[in-house]
Amino acid sequence: MNYLCLVYLAQDKLHACPDSVCFAYGQELRESGHYVAGQALQPIATATTVRVRNGQLTLTDGPFAETKEQLAGFYMIEAKDLNEAIHWASKIPPARFGSIEVRPVRELDIGNMAAADEAV
């Protein structure tokens, strides 16, 4: 099963963990066979939130909500269960400076795709 490990850090902690340490962790994940994907994100000042309501597009600078910690990056990992995912998430270097949200990836149910296509 795939798990998304979302890395959250306060803005003043974004560079508390050297990139080389995060890169080394990514290498460890790759070598263990648990790595699916991962990437660091630019600061929230570069973000744009997109909403579509009643057919109207609205753009907002920044993230969806004000928070003390911001989404700084992610790792998509493959693990046999939540306990194994938490084990790997606890090794993510920025966990020492912020928090890691571990969330299972939901597979889309496309079994009823034909019925949904007919409804559109």
Side-chain angles (χ1 to χ4, degrees):
M1 178 168 214
N2 286 343
Y3 291 85
L4 185 60
C5 300
L6 299 167
V7 178
Y8 289 95
L9 293 167
Q11 186 162 339
D12 63 340
K13 301 285 186 195
L14 283 179
H15 300 289
C17 186
D19 288 349
S20 60
V21 174
C22 294
F23 181 82
Y25 172 73
Q27 285 297 104
E28 181 183 355
L29 268 178
R30 283 179 186 87
E31 291 168 7
S32 73
H34 291 88
Y35 182 86
V36 176
Q39 204 68 50
L41 300 175
Q42 293 289 335
I44 60 170
T46 65
T48 302
T49 299
V50 176
R51 291 182 187 85
V52 178
R53 300 292 186 274
N54 300 317
Q56 297 296 313
L57 172 66
T58 303
L59 303 177
T60 306
D61 289 341
F64 176 72
E66 290 292 322
T67 62
K68 293 182 185 207
E69 293 184 330
Q70 59 186 278
L71 182 60
F74 71 92
Y75 291 91
M76 176 79 72
I77 64 171
E78 186 175 319
K80 65 181 179 196
D81 57 26
L82 180 59
N83 288 333
E84 185 176 48
I86 289 170
H87 165 77
W88 284 102
S90 72
K91 294 177 145 200
I92 295 173
R96 297 184 308 246
F97 309 102
S99 62
I100 311 297
E101 178 184 339
V102 179
R103 192 183 302 185
V105 173
R106 181 177 62 89
E107 298 297 327
L108 296 179
D109 179 9
I110 58 171
N112 294 325
M113 209 164 154
D117 287 343
E118 290 175 11
V120 175

